[in-house]
Amino acid sequence: MRLLSDALDQPMIMAEARRLMRLRLMVNEPARLHVLHEQMAAHLMALRAIQAQQEAAVDNTITSAFQTSKMRPMGAQSETHYTDTKNNLSLRKVVSVAACSRNRIETMRREPLDHPGESSRLGRESALRGFKGTAQFYLGICAALREICPTATPSAEQLIDAAEYLSGQIGVSYHAWGQGCSVLGRLQAAIAVIIMASRLERQAVIHARDVYFRALVERGAQNALFLDRSLYALRDVRNREEASGLMSAVVAAGDQRLHSHRVGL
């Protein structure tokens, strides 16, 4: 559903699919699950119908397009046609792929490591740099994650699944999410999404969020991504928010006691 919605540019259907998935996380009754499955299947059929219409429109455009009439062979009596233009491929300037290109991420991921015996992911230093964060920590810094997780104490896999749903809500495409999982691993890709969502909740401005996530993935491929720094910063922000909330509660309680004392007098 998510892949087709991204490809066909159908945000309304994607929003409805996300709503059904959130309901799916909170439902265990077979009858209710069957109803949700039927609704999702109906949306999938609608997407496939839109896809068929678009493909048919493309086919009609190609067949009805102006076709160039057959031309006579170039040159008299079909001899070889010569020009003064040099066609030396060695003289052509080759422009390297831009750093922000999608293909560059996959290229860097396949680069040989210093220790060939290790796997591609284990051979690179973790972007977390040893940061130890529990599920409660990630739920504490990201309110949107708490709404998606099925329990108050989610497992690592449940946290990753919730982050995958969250990535679609904050504007990360399915293709970018897949690249992040391939390059960073599912856990670190999920944490990168949680960090983005936490910053957005605190009124941070992130332009072109899909491009921003791809930039994080590219930095991870270059071993230049430091997720621990963002997590430490978010932990400090959460501590300040909790301290501020506690102080506000204490002040409110004091005002209430003072008001009660005055009324008693």
Side-chain angles (χ1 to χ4, degrees):
M1 283 288 298
R2 184 172 176 182
L3 182 61
L4 275 178
S5 297
D6 284 341
L8 300 176
D9 190 20
Q10 297 293 325
M12 298 300 295
I13 297 181
M14 172 48 63
E16 181 64 18
R18 283 200 299 263
R19 185 187 69 82
L20 293 176
M21 288 306 300
R22 284 195 297 270
L23 293 175
R24 164 65 182 88
L25 294 172
M26 297 180 288
V27 172
N28 293 322
E29 296 82 2
R32 181 58 177 159
L33 290 174
H34 184 68
V35 173
L36 294 178
H37 179 270
E38 289 181 347
Q39 294 177 3
M40 186 69 80
H43 289 304
L44 182 59
M45 291 179 62
L47 281 177
R48 288 177 176 170
I50 294 173
Q51 184 182 29
Q53 291 177 358
Q54 292 184 359
E55 291 176 352
V58 171
D59 292 339
N60 292 335
T61 302
I62 294 175
T63 55
S64 61
F66 174 78
Q67 298 181 358
T68 305
S69 59
K70 294 183 178 180
M71 304 294 292
R72 293 183 57 187
M74 299 178 67
Q77 298 179 358
S78 301
E79 75 270 21
T80 304
H81 181 70
Y82 294 97
T83 66
D84 295 332
T85 304
K86 294 183 179 180
N87 193 25
N88 190 346
L89 295 179
S90 63
L91 298 179
R92 293 185 178 179
K93 182 180 179 180
V94 178
V95 180
S96 59
V97 179
C100 59
S101 174
R102 295 183 178 181
N103 297 331
R104 184 174 176 82
I105 298 176
E106 296 297 329
T107 302
M108 289 185 295
R109 186 169 65 88
R110 292 192 292 267
E111 288 178 354
L113 303 172
D114 296 334
H115 304 283
E118 299 179 353
S119 65
S120 59
R121 186 167 42 162
L122 297 178
R124 301 184 186 275
E125 187 175 0
S126 169
L128 294 173
R129 292 333 195 253
F131 183 91
K132 301 296 183 181
T134 62
Q136 294 302 315
F137 169 77
Y138 295 115
L139 292 177
I141 65 174
C142 184
L145 195 65
R146 295 195 296 268
E147 299 177 0
I148 300 176
C149 284
T151 66
T153 57
S155 63
E157 284 302 320
Q158 289 175 330
L159 195 69
I160 293 171
D161 290 341
E164 181 177 357
Y165 302 143
L166 183 60
S167 66
Q169 293 182 358
I170 65 174
V172 176
S173 67
Y174 186 78
H175 184 272
W177 167 259
Q179 274 193 332
C181 293
S182 299
V183 177
L184 303 176
R186 281 174 53 82
L187 177 60
Q188 293 188 141
I191 292 174
V193 168
I194 294 172
I195 291 174
M196 288 181 60
S198 300
R199 293 184 59 200
L200 291 171
E201 288 178 359
R202 291 162 175 82
Q203 308 306 315
V205 178
I206 301 178
H207 299 290
R209 299 171 186 177
D210 188 63
V211 177
Y212 181 87
F213 182 79
R214 291 181 188 278
L216 295 180
V217 175
E218 181 175 351
R219 287 168 58 187
Q222 295 174 334
N223 202 22
L225 181 62
F226 301 91
L227 295 178
D228 57 322
R229 298 177 182 176
S230 299
L231 292 172
Y232 283 123
L234 287 171
R235 184 190 64 182
D236 295 340
V237 170
R238 184 198 61 178
N239 291 339
R240 288 195 297 269
E241 291 173 347
E242 291 179 350
S244 176
L246 180 60
M247 183 61 67
S248 300
V250 170
V251 172
D255 293 341
Q256 182 66 28
R257 286 196 298 269
L258 180 59
H259 177 70
S260 300
H261 179 69
R262 289 177 176 174
V263 171
L265 292 177

